Amino acid sequence: MKPTAVLLVLLLAPLAAAQTPPDHTPVDLAHVESIAGPPRAPRLTGAALEAEAKHIAAVLRCPVCQGLSVGDSPSAMATNMRQQIRELVAAGFDEDQILSYFEASYGEFVRLQPPLRGVNWLVWIAPGLGLLLGLGVVSWVLRGASTETPEAVAAAELPVEIVPDPLPDDPARAKAVLRVRELAYGWPGGLRPGKA
Amino acid sequence: MNRKVLVAGLVVTLPLVGLMLMSLGRDSHKVESPLLGRQAPPFSLRPIGGGAPVTLESLRGKTVVVNFWATWCVPCVDEHPVLTAAPQRYGSDVVFLGVVYEDEEPNVQSFLREHGAAYPSLVDEGGKVSIAYGIYGVPETYFIAPDGTIVSKYVGPLRPDLLDGFVQEAQARAGTRRSDAR
């Protein structure tokens, strides 16, 4: 072996050891095949394997975390799942097969991006529908406001007459109220102009 | 105008209120296991302290109770006496297995020496079996019928009455979906 190759092996050995725990046993590929079918992607190695594993880990939810992907979580569970993803990618399983394998254990919840099937369509179209609905309501309200007649608008904007100038039954108190109105509003005799 | 605003407000808020009402009384952490009614994922794990690996396949024909646990989990410690007493009560037709979840082997050995062990606790290296069984935390217990079908799953510490019910259900029938949570 050439000296450079020996040096490369020595340099990369600790990295490989760090990625594969010493007590790790490989994932049961026969069990994965029973769920996802036989591998249908090329067996990846090196940087291509790491890139594909990283991509899949990013769309898989960490089951023991709050809203974190397997790729982002530092938990032991996520570390184990990342290791399994690497093994499955190396064995030739594609993204859909690997997601199906984890989905068989955890349900659709484990996918950070729900697939477009069944009621999941609602998740994708509900925001657009909500926006359209909101625009519809706003335009309906605005159109209704613009079709109102000027008289109706003017009537709506007039101050509401709250009381028809009632007077107490007691003549003495009624006289006092009229006097106050005369002083306060300048109404002759305390009576609203045009109403006397 | 006011009526229109009221209608628009109802259109927006009623669906939200409906969603909230539908969620009342539901445990937001509860997720139904997709494994119920299906064949239990196979495993072959070595017991704590050494010995021949235990395979699920070799237990076909018996009711199997698989308890995922850890020494750092307080509810697991609480339910340990219930599970330790169980094998004697049910006899050889029901097999109990512990699967150690994210724990160190020396800790488990020390715990079992102190608290007793009535059935094998298995080492799940790399969390392979925990992931295959869709474990979120511990304790979680699966009840597997004699034909290998997962009949029920229980999340949380088991009590004797609960254990009796689940074991009887697993013995009585296979493939019926049932899930319970804390």
Side-chain angles (χ1 to χ4, degrees):
Chain A
M1 192 180 283
K2 290 181 179 179
T4 48
V6 172
L7 187 65
L8 198 63
V9 167
L10 287 174
L11 284 172
L12 290 178
L15 279 177
Q19 286 175 356
T20 307
D23 60 351
H24 183 78
T25 52
V27 66
D28 186 343
L29 295 178
H31 176 55
V32 179
E33 272 197 46
S34 72
I35 293 167
R40 55 190 184 204
R43 291 166 177 261
L44 300 179
T45 56
L49 183 151
E50 290 302 323
E52 178 65 4
K54 192 176 176 184
H55 165 71
I56 295 170
V59 296
L60 202 59
R61 185 192 303 275
C62 165
V64 298
C65 315
Q66 296 284 341
L68 277 180
S69 74
V70 165
D72 290 334
S73 169
S75 70
M77 172 70 83
T79 305
N80 290 334
M81 288 174 82
R82 284 196 294 271
Q83 179 60 32
Q84 287 201 2
I85 293 169
R86 270 195 213 96
E87 289 174 27
L88 295 175
V89 172
F93 290 96
D94 65 19
E95 178 183 343
D96 190 46
Q97 289 179 302
I98 294 171
L99 292 178
S100 297
Y101 165 64
F102 286 107
E103 190 178 345
S105 303
Y106 287 100
E108 211 170 68
F109 164 83
V110 83
R111 291 176 185 255
L112 277 174
Q113 294 175 351
L116 292 176
R117 65 186 179 213
V119 292
N120 289 346
W121 278 101
L122 280 175
V123 176
W124 296 89
I125 63 173
L129 278 180
L131 183 66
L132 285 175
L133 185 68
L135 287 173
V137 169
V138 168
S139 69
W140 177 50
V141 170
L142 289 177
R143 198 170 58 240
S146 66
T147 54
E148 286 177 354
T149 62
E151 291 77 13
V153 172
E157 288 173 355
L158 279 176
V160 177
E161 190 175 354
I162 298 170
V163 290
D165 305 336
L167 288 170
D169 293 335
D170 180 6
R173 292 176 68 189
K175 190 177 173 186
V177 170
L178 288 172
R179 177 67 182 143
V180 169
R181 285 180 184 165
E182 184 176 11
L183 292 171
Y185 307 133
W187 295 348
L191 297 174
R192 187 189 291 268
K195 197 175 177 182
Chain B
M1 179 78 174
N2 285 340
R3 195 176 160 202
K4 288 178 179 176
V5 171
L6 179 69
V7 170
L10 288 176
V11 166
V12 173
T13 54
L14 276 182
L16 295 174
V17 171
L19 277 174
M20 285 171 61
L21 289 176
M22 282 170 63
S23 303
L24 280 179
R26 287 179 61 184
D27 182 354
S28 61
H29 293 283
K30 181 182 171 185
V31 179
E32 180 108 348
S33 172
L35 292 169
L36 299 183
R38 296 187 177 175
Q39 281 292 300
F43 58 76
S44 174
L45 299 175
R46 74 174 171 83
I48 291 277
V54 175
T55 63
L56 184 62
E57 188 65 33
S58 68
L59 301 172
R60 192 59 63 91
K62 294 176 184 291
T63 299
V64 182
V65 179
V66 184
N67 173 247
F68 290 82
W69 73 288
T71 60
W72 46 259
C73 148
V74 175
C76 301
V77 177
D78 290 343
E79 77 172 352
H80 187 75
V82 175
L83 291 169
T84 306
Q88 200 174 7
R89 215 167 68 238
Y90 294 112
S92 59
D93 286 342
V94 183
V95 175
F96 284 77
L97 294 173
V99 176
V100 177
Y101 174 84
E102 293 181 11
D103 207 342
E104 300 293 328
E105 198 164 342
N107 295 346
V108 179
Q109 283 178 316
S110 169
F111 178 91
L112 293 177
R113 266 197 304 272
E114 188 181 340
H115 294 87
Y119 52 85
S121 274
L122 311 174
V123 182
D124 183 17
E125 288 164 355
K128 186 180 62 167
V129 174
S130 300
I131 292 171
Y133 277 76
I135 297 300
Y136 289 91
V138 281
E140 290 188 12
T141 308
Y142 279 93
F143 297 84
I144 303 170
D147 67 352
T149 307
I150 293 180
V151 176
S152 49
K153 172 188 179 181
Y154 186 76
V155 179
L158 281 160
R159 300 189 313 266
D161 57 320
L162 287 170
L163 186 60
D164 281 345
F166 285 124
V167 168
Q168 282 166 16
E169 188 182 21
Q171 285 175 318
R173 61 193 168 93
T176 306
R177 294 175 69 85
R178 175 172 174 183
S179 172
D180 286 84
R182 257 177 289 226

